[in-house]
Amino acid sequence: MGINDERDIEANLQIGPTDAGMVRLFVEGNGIEIPMDFTPEEAYEIAEEITAAANRVSGAKSNR
């Protein structure tokens, strides 16, 4: 399975800080829970990657 392979799976995504000073992405779906913790620096890198991908898809050249 790759990034362009579609799946008919529903999942919920929650994003927030933890008591340990990490940023958690929490994915829940089909009876599975996946907590992923990142340092603030890693979270900023992920946010930049998401923004860059959204800009490529929308054709935008600047941050929104």
Side-chain angles (χ1 to χ4, degrees), residues 45-58 62-64:
E45 289 178 17
I46 293 166
E48 289 174 4
E49 291 179 27
I50 291 170
T51 300
N55 286 338
R56 282 193 304 271
V57 169
S58 69
S62 62
N63 291 340
R64 293 183 179 249

Side-chain angles (χ1 to χ4, degrees), residues 30-54:
N30 289 345
I32 297 174
E33 296 179 346
I34 304 171
M36 296 179 284
D37 291 347
F38 301 94
T39 65
E41 294 79 15
E42 292 170 323
Y44 283 121
E45 289 178 17
I46 293 166
E48 289 174 4
E49 291 179 27
I50 291 170
T51 300

Side-chain angles (χ1 to χ4, degrees), residues 18-39:
T18 69
D19 293 340
M22 302 292 278
V23 176
R24 177 167 290 173
L25 281 92
F26 186 79
V27 182
E28 177 184 22
N30 289 345
I32 297 174
E33 296 179 346
I34 304 171
M36 296 179 284
D37 291 347
F38 301 94
T39 65

